[in-house]
Amino acid sequence: MSGQMEHANLFEDARSHLEDVFAAIDVPGDARERLMQPNLSLQVSVPVRMDDGSLKVFPGWRVQYDTTLGPAKGGIRFHPDVSQAEVTTLSFWMAVKCAVVDLPYGGGKGGVKVDPKQLSKLELERLARSYIRAIADVVGPERDIPAPDVNTNATVMGWMADEFDHLARGKVPAAITGKPPALGGSKGRVAATGRGALHVLDLWAEREQRKPEQTTVAIQGFGNAAYHFARLAHERGYRIVAVSDSKGTIYSREGLDPDAIMEQKERNKRLHDMVYCDDSVCIAENVEKLERDELLTLKVDVLALAALENQVHEENVDQLRCGAVLEIANGPVTGQADVRLEERGVPVLPDVLANTGGVIVSYYEWVQNRSGERWAEEDINKRLAKRLKAQSDKVFERAERDGISYRKAAYRQGIERIAHAIQLRGQCQDSE
């Protein structure tokens, strides 16, 4: 199956959750119609002058799925498999997750179809600036606020923020989040997605009367979010027994030290002057090395999925031997696999709740930029924990009260809030 077909199916799979919500709660017809399609979908050409003097043009997109609750919010990914359907799906998930945790945002997402690891650092910077020039008319602090995603980070966001300032002929720090702190970025933002996922896991474990030191965890993926989740979970006492990336899996029954693994990866960085780390977790010593997909079949208490979409699907879901699934990535479990896990009684802590730490702290960065304040990291982490506890408790209580999965409870919570806001705006809003 081609990548485009997979992404088209991904969007239909993601949107299928709406049917469950519509069948379960009273969503007026106007809201249903609006939620089935994105508000805006922009395709752009992203020209880049290469170091050898040649010009390459990469396709890019920015999608705003729904902006009823506020300006669109969502990351930008640079990846060779990016497509319009994928970006649309991601923007849909962003709309839901912002509503689930009660942020004044809609859902947005962007991407460029490119392999950034094949670019020099200067080519990467030209790509970032060219993309912002291409989408500048539809983004900004009151309309759509981009942030990091796959293969983009604080360095890339800093370039984009600087380019937006040049276009605006002024300083507009609230236009981009995930920036370096020296350019107005928020303390705590880099670790926020991983920290938020750990908060959700902690809250669930507490309800299950499960102690961290009695809980084994396997983590698929070892990017930024996965590393910080692993580091913080290890500090809390969880036993991280396996980690995988695109090149393989490492396993240790006694437990792994995420900091030691990352230190070895950092030591072996070779490409792009520290922009990307191209080495594998498999360089770690004194561990058992397995095939990449073997991680999914390990018998562990929690399987944390922190790679890409559709990692657990109909063909491999019955091979999972975990007690619970934590979705740190976006959409790592397909709809059919999700149904199967529910039938088997395997709880899934869904992405629209579990990976909201990044967008929550991006919201705090946006607030700081607009007010001209700088908050301490301790204060930001406390605010993150407080918001996640309040909204996670609502999801868990709804799931228990209605006898439904955590995913269904989260979607109902988010869509209910969006639909209510759509109705409050009145029936003639499409005449703007």
Side-chain angles (χ1 to χ4, degrees):
M1 183 181 292
S2 70
Q4 288 186 342
M5 283 295 294
E6 288 179 355
H7 288 159
N9 293 338
L10 181 69
F11 179 50
E12 292 304 316
D13 189 55
R15 203 168 55 169
S16 68
H17 293 295
L18 290 174
E19 299 299 334
D20 169 75
V21 176
F22 295 159
I25 63 177
D26 183 20
V27 178
D30 289 359
R32 294 186 184 204
E33 287 296 317
R34 288 185 173 276
L35 286 169
M36 293 303 287
Q37 297 292 338
N39 284 357
L40 178 147
S41 183
L42 175 68
Q43 180 170 351
V44 296
S45 295
V46 185
V48 177
R49 183 66 63 185
M50 309 303 284
D51 291 344
D52 63 4
S54 65
L55 184 74
K56 289 188 178 180
V57 181
F58 303 95
W61 296 269
R62 187 69 187 177
V63 175
Q64 298 165 5
Y65 199 90
D66 182 86
T67 55
T68 305
L69 294 174
K73 188 78 186 76
I76 297 167
R77 62 175 52 184
F78 293 165
H79 195 277
D81 292 333
V82 166
S83 69
Q84 182 173 357
E86 180 189 40
V87 174
T88 301
T89 305
L90 293 165
S91 70
F92 167 73
W93 283 328
M94 281 301 303
V96 175
K97 72 173 66 173
C98 287
V100 168
V101 292
D102 203 24
L103 294 178
Y105 284 145
K109 210 73 176 185
V112 179
K113 185 178 178 64
V114 61
D115 183 355
K117 295 182 181 181
Q118 299 302 312
L119 304 181
S120 71
K121 186 175 181 181
L122 284 176
E123 289 169 342
L124 185 66
E125 181 176 347
R126 294 182 201 118
L127 176 75
R129 292 178 181 276
S130 182
Y131 176 73
I132 283 297
R133 290 194 296 272
I135 67 167
D137 288 341
V138 301
V139 298
E142 302 290 344
R143 186 170 184 183
D144 185 352
I145 307 105
D149 197 77
V150 174
N151 289 331
T152 56
N153 54 23
T155 299
V156 176
M157 292 302 109
W159 296 331
M160 291 185 177
D162 181 70
E163 188 65 27
F164 194 88
D165 284 351
H166 285 301
L167 296 170
R169 300 293 188 268
K171 298 299 180 184
V172 195
I176 305 279
T177 62
K179 306 179 296 293
L183 298 181
S186 177
K187 294 179 179 179
R189 175 61 183 86
V190 172
T193 302
R195 186 182 297 277
L198 179 59
H199 280 313
V200 173
L201 178 60
D202 277 341
L203 291 166
W204 170 79
E206 184 179 347
R207 298 179 82 90
E208 297 292 313
Q209 298 182 327
R210 175 183 289 279
K211 296 181 179 180
E213 56 270 20
Q214 299 171 339
T215 306
T216 56
V217 182
I219 306 172
Q220 184 198 44
F222 205 64
N224 176 70
Y227 162 65
H228 286 289
F229 167 76
R231 173 180 65 83
L232 295 167
H234 178 69
E235 291 175 3
R236 282 277 290 126
Y238 290 92
R239 182 150 51 101
I240 312 299
V241 297
V243 173
S244 73
D245 61 15
S246 61
K247 298 178 181 178
T249 295
I250 55 175
Y251 172 79
S252 173
R253 183 186 300 273
E254 289 71 31
L256 301 168
D257 181 351
D259 278 330
I261 298 168
M262 181 55 76
E263 183 181 347
Q264 291 181 66
K265 286 190 69 174
E266 295 283 336
R267 193 184 306 131
N268 285 278
K269 276 187 178 182
R270 296 187 298 269
L271 301 181
H272 308 316
D273 191 23
M274 308 297 278
V275 174
Y276 294 115
C277 179
D278 198 52
D279 281 293
S280 171
V281 297
C282 296
I283 62 174
E285 300 174 354
N286 302 318
V287 297
E288 185 178 350
K289 295 178 174 61
L290 308 174
E291 294 298 319
R292 180 187 63 182
D293 292 340
E294 285 187 76
L295 178 131
L296 298 176
T297 66
L298 294 174
K299 187 173 178 58
V300 292
D301 296 314
V302 177
L303 174 62
L305 301 173
L308 292 171
E309 304 93 9
N310 289 351
Q311 298 302 298
V312 176
H313 44 78
E314 187 177 16
E315 294 179 4
N316 67 6
V317 64
D318 286 330
Q319 298 174 28
L320 270 60
R321 297 192 295 159
C322 57
V325 173
L326 175 69
E327 294 186 330
I328 303 177
N330 290 306
V333 178
T334 68
Q336 290 179 320
D338 193 55
V339 170
R340 181 63 183 138
L341 289 171
E342 187 175 359
E343 291 172 349
R344 290 175 50 189
V346 179
V348 177
L349 300 172
D351 51 356
V352 292
L353 175 64
N355 73 8
T356 56
V359 70
I360 291 172
V361 176
S362 275
Y363 166 64
Y364 296 151
E365 180 176 333
W366 182 70
V367 171
Q368 291 172 80
N369 291 160
R370 288 162 64 88
S371 64
E373 295 184 3
R374 295 286 184 96
W375 300 346
E377 185 169 355
E378 182 181 3
D379 184 28
I380 291 164
N381 290 340
K382 286 181 179 178
R383 289 171 184 258
L384 171 63
K386 182 178 179 180
R387 180 176 292 269
L388 272 175
K389 176 169 173 49
Q391 301 306 322
S392 296
D393 284 347
K394 291 179 184 295
V395 171
F396 293 150
E397 290 164 7
R398 185 170 198 155
E400 292 168 5
R401 182 184 68 241
D402 296 346
I404 56 177
S405 69
Y406 297 133
R407 190 187 309 279
K408 289 177 179 177
Y411 267 84
R412 291 178 191 183
Q413 178 165 300
I415 297 300
E416 200 170 54
R417 288 169 172 170
I418 297 172
H420 181 59
I422 288 173
Q423 290 306 110
L424 290 176
R425 285 180 174 271
Q427 297 182 354
C428 299
Q429 55 181 299
D430 57 351
S431 63
E432 295 177 358

